[in-house]
Amino acid sequence: MSWLMREDQRMVEKLLLQGVISLAEARRLRTPSGQDPFLRDAVDNLLMDLSGYPLREGGPRSGLDQLEYFSKAIAREPTEFAHGLDTRVGRIVLDATSGLTHENRAERRWAILDPLGAPRMDRREAGMNVWVRLLSSRVTDGLLHPALCAGQIAGVGPLSVDDAYNSREVQINRAAPRLYKTWVSDPGTRDSQEHSMRDLFESVSWARSLS
């Protein structure tokens, strides 16, 4: 089971057992509105693992084994992967994994995070931008409930405003704990809250940030 699916399941189970949601609501939270192809999950999990290092959620090798495995899988079926990854995000991953070796894989991490996290003040902000854009895009594409997205975005500590971090993605990361807490505590307004969150997340989706 992928990291993304494990985290979704854990959050829904916790809400159910705490009495925040009903069983019917739990099913709604866990049911995406569209197909979730294997490659989409694989790429998203890879990006979350890679972005963990600049966000200090992982060590220097975080995601590098996965990146190397991904490169080898692409080499075995280049045509199939090229077709499945024919998106702006996918093409950046394809370019970065072309010619990847055990020796250059740490460098290739930045060949993915730097363009996907731009514009950014430094690589820590690049990691945050990727983290927020990735999860927000899953909401926009019907693969993740907005409340669960807010909870997962809040799972990474905010970047300090004193250090001049202030991108829209950083602002959403700072707002995410409040959004999630309000959704949990005020069930009567969840529909309107979810609509507002969808609009907010759509504003930083890959379609917007890479346009």
Side-chain angles (χ1 to χ4, degrees), residues 14 16 25 47 49 57 66 68 70 75 87 98 100 118-119 125 133 135 142 149 164 177 186 189 191 201 203 205:
K14 182 178 179 181
L16 177 65
E25 287 177 305
L47 295 182
D49 286 334
E57 297 290 321
Q66 293 91 322
E68 193 169 347
F70 209 92
T87 65
S98 177
L100 183 141
E125 187 172 46
R133 291 168 183 175
L135 289 167
C149 178
D186 191 1
T189 64
D191 285 347
F201 296 142
S203 72
S205 65

Side-chain angles (χ1 to χ4, degrees), residues 60-135:
R61 293 182 56 186
S62 180
L64 297 186
D65 285 344
Q66 293 91 322
L67 184 59
E68 193 169 347
Y69 297 147
F70 209 92
S71 175
K72 291 177 179 178
I74 292 172
R76 289 193 296 268
E77 298 183 273
T79 303
E80 290 297 320
F81 273 86
H83 176 72
L85 296 176
D86 190 19
T87 65
R88 290 285 299 279
V89 174
R91 288 191 290 274
I92 287 172
V93 172
L94 283 173
D95 288 345
T97 52
S98 177
L100 183 141
T101 65
H102 188 78
E103 290 70 28
N104 70 15
R105 62 183 190 166
E107 174 189 337
R108 295 298 180 90
R109 167 179 28 218
W110 305 115
I112 294 174
L113 295 182
D114 281 342
L116 289 182
R120 83 294 190 278
M121 188 171 69
D122 56 22
R123 283 177 166 169
R124 193 172 182 211
E125 187 172 46
M128 179 63 76
N129 289 345
V130 169
W131 183 271
V132 173
R133 291 168 183 175
L134 182 160
L135 289 167

